[in-house]
Amino acid sequence: MSMFPEDTILRPDPQLPSTEIDGEIVLMNCLTDSYYSLSETAAAVWKALKPGASLQSICQTLLREYTVDEETCRRDVSAFLQMLLQQGLIQTAEA
């Protein structure tokens, strides 16, 4: 179960530096001095979040691009988004 409704718009923290290097997304949380490297599916989720996206819209995109069932996609993406929220890397668009 997610901490937010499926249609909540999420986006990266605008203060968070990120860049793409060789297909991976590299993030740096300057407040915690934490470094993150996102590859493949995680990078696809991050790219979808850049303009703002919901769990629902991200899963729709991933279901078109990857061989995964809808339940697994929603569960895994929801867990990943929750981790990003907890680490302060994303926020709700209303924030």
Side-chain angles (χ1 to χ4, degrees), residues 75-89:
R75 182 187 65 234
D76 292 353
V77 172
S78 179
F80 180 60
L81 293 175
Q82 287 178 36
M83 185 276 304
L84 292 175
L85 275 169
Q86 290 170 348
Q87 296 296 317
L89 303 174

Side-chain angles (χ1 to χ4, degrees), residues 9-12 44-54 93:
I9 302 299
L10 302 164
R11 63 176 179 181
V45 171
W46 187 261
K47 288 176 186 176
L49 285 168
K50 288 295 255 183
S54 66

Side-chain angles (χ1 to χ4, degrees), residues 23-43:
E24 292 188 6
I25 304 292
V26 179
L27 313 170
M28 178 68 177
N29 185 333
C30 297
L31 295 175
T32 62
D33 291 328
S34 299
Y35 161 87
Y36 303 86
S37 177
L38 309 177
S39 60
E40 295 189 40
T41 309

Side-chain angles (χ1 to χ4, degrees), residues 47-68:
K47 288 176 186 176
L49 285 168
K50 288 295 255 183
S54 66
L55 170 62
Q56 183 178 16
S57 67
I58 293 168
C59 286
Q60 288 172 351
T61 299
L62 295 178
L63 288 168
R64 286 190 300 268
E65 296 179 22
Y66 296 93
T67 304
V68 62

